[in-house]
Amino acid sequence: MTSRPVVVATFAAAFVGAAVIANRLAGKPVPFLRWSVIRFALGARRLLGEGQVGDGREEALAAHVLATARRGDLDDVIRTIDEFAHTRSFLMNVGDEKGEILDAAVRSARPALLLELGTYCGYSALRMARVMPPNATICTVEINPANEAIARRIFEHAGVGERITSVVGSIGDGGETVRRLRDEYGIDTGTVDFVFVDHLKSAYLPDLLRIVDEGWLHPGSRVVADNVRFPGAPDYLAYMRSEEGGRWRTTEHPTHVEYQRVLRDLVLESEYQG
């Protein structure tokens, strides 16, 4: 005789499968009823530990971009990544809606040197490269070597490989990456004009404080942080609010989690006062 838990699990699986199929036939109006989103949620533990979902979507993205996006066309590469995330597999990059907030911040700051924490597959670096001044450069730090390699291939395909330097490492690794950024990549006192933070949420605040302690920022440097509400960086949000009008001046941008309009999110844009 089949046990009640097995019957319930079987029924639930059948219900979810039917709902996903119905959602697909309806044009995917419900973002959570996509297999790629469900697999993303089920792979959350691996994602936090390794930086990839575990179903090969990151490598599939690179293959798709190189096969379908026009080589040397930055706009088409960005469009292709967005299309992939909307129609094939959900991606944890900043996305098109929040990407416009990032674009506006970079245009306003007109930075010469940008530092990114959390490259993933390179989407946000591409967006920043599109709107930053012609002679500006980006240094992007990614803890997962496979992600860094994927991003580098995409940067080269988009024609911006010479303007974006990708570094495997972590600000919180005990000083090794900080040393390399300083000694090998020229990031030093007062040189960083713009920081985009989109990596491990619990690392937002300690990594920012390390950057401040290193003296890399200057009055007027901007720091933009994604996913402050969801999945959330509560200590970072509390810090910025407590420092408002003192060391920092912050604009809070209400928005949505990438590639959907149901879950709400918050992007912080903070200007360092010194």
Side-chain angles (χ1 to χ4, degrees), residues 82 94-107 123 127 130-131 253 255 261 267 269:
D82 283 331
V94 69
D96 43 8
E97 179 186 357
K98 291 185 290 184
E100 293 183 0
I101 298 171
L102 179 60
D103 293 350
V106 173
R107 287 194 184 100
Y123 176 84
R127 291 197 73 113
R130 182 169 60 177
V131 298
H253 298 278
T255 181
R261 296 279 181 164
V267 171
E269 179 183 352

Side-chain angles (χ1 to χ4, degrees), residues 237-259:
L237 177 60
Y239 169 78
M240 283 301 181
R241 286 177 171 172
S242 70
E243 292 287 336
E244 178 62 29
R247 184 178 288 193
W248 297 92
R249 290 181 181 172
T250 296
T251 300
E252 299 185 9
H253 298 278
T255 181
H256 299 91
V257 173
E258 46 270 24
Y259 302 117

